[in-house]
Amino acid sequence: MQLFGLKNCDTCRKALKLLPEATLVDVRADGVPDDVLERAYAEFEGKLVNTRSTTWRELSDAERETPALDLLRAHPALMKRPLIEDDGKLYLGWDKSVQQALLPE
């Protein structure tokens, strides 16, 4: 299980604490592999870009018009976090539905 996020993100830390088998991939330091990013975008589309982030607010209007995949490659911290890959299945965020799917009863 891989958790793509930021090491200083509170939500990512909460998820890691409850998913001890998960390995953190810091997207700011390591990026997201293209195949994972493309699969995630195909599945989650616009939900993958966190438009409430500080990074988003700092972008110019012209930069915001950039295609989402190019924007995420240039600014990986723009991705909604965490993105979790478990046995080929992708999960986005850390809401109740993701927790129910990944945490043992």
Side-chain angles (χ1 to χ4, degrees), residues 4 11 29 41-42 46 50 53 59 71 98 105:
F4 297 92
T11 305
Y41 185 72
N50 182 359
S53 72
L59 294 177
L71 202 53
V98 172
E105 292 292 319

Side-chain angles (χ1 to χ4, degrees), residues 30-79:
D30 305 320
V32 180
D34 262 353
D35 63 318
V36 173
L37 188 59
E38 289 171 11
R39 282 182 32 232
Y41 185 72
E43 187 167 337
F44 303 113
E45 296 179 353
K47 294 178 191 171
L48 195 58
V49 177
N50 182 359
T51 57
R52 294 178 9 200
S53 72
T54 305
T55 305
W56 178 263
R57 289 191 297 264
E58 292 173 354
L59 294 177
S60 69
D61 289 339
E63 288 174 306
R64 291 179 184 180
E65 296 299 318
T66 306
L69 281 174
D70 294 338
L71 202 53
L72 289 167
R73 285 182 183 110
H75 305 280
L78 266 177
M79 185 181 73

Side-chain angles (χ1 to χ4, degrees), residues 7-22:
K7 63 183 175 192
N8 60 348
C9 169
D10 289 339
T11 305
C12 293
R13 282 193 286 217
K14 288 176 192 173
L16 277 171
K17 185 184 273 188
L18 294 171
L19 300 169
E21 71 280 9

